[in-house]
Amino acid sequence: GENRNPRYDFAAVHAQVQDLVLREARWQAFFDTLAVAPCTVVYEDYSRDPQATVRKIITYLGQALPEDWSLPH
């Protein structure tokens, strides 16, 4: 049968990381050209406190939520 154990390939992982770094740099250059400060959302922050993350996004967009607002459960 076929070996189903994943094989670690440093070169492949490194190439993917380099690609992500390049893409991130291109996005940053795009935002810099437009003089735009993007709202950065970090997955770990969202997963830890989704309500605070949504409030951050809404505030960034210049909107307000009622103080008693909460995400549906």
Side-chain angles (χ1 to χ4, degrees), residues 1-63:
E2 192 176 314
N3 183 0
R4 296 195 178 251
N5 292 326
R7 188 175 124 270
Y8 179 76
D9 184 339
F10 176 81
V13 171
H14 182 71
Q16 291 297 311
V17 169
Q18 293 302 104
D19 183 58
L20 289 170
V21 168
L22 178 61
R23 289 173 187 266
E24 182 69 21
R26 287 179 178 163
W27 274 114
Q28 190 58 56
F30 172 75
F31 293 132
D32 290 347
T33 299
L34 297 177
V36 172
C39 179
T40 302
V41 176
V42 177
Y43 173 79
E44 289 79 6
D45 295 342
Y46 175 77
S47 65
R48 181 176 38 257
D49 192 350
Q51 187 157 312
T53 303
V54 170
R55 282 190 178 279
K56 172 186 167 181
I57 295 167
I58 296 298
T59 300
Y60 172 84
L61 294 172
Q63 303 299 310

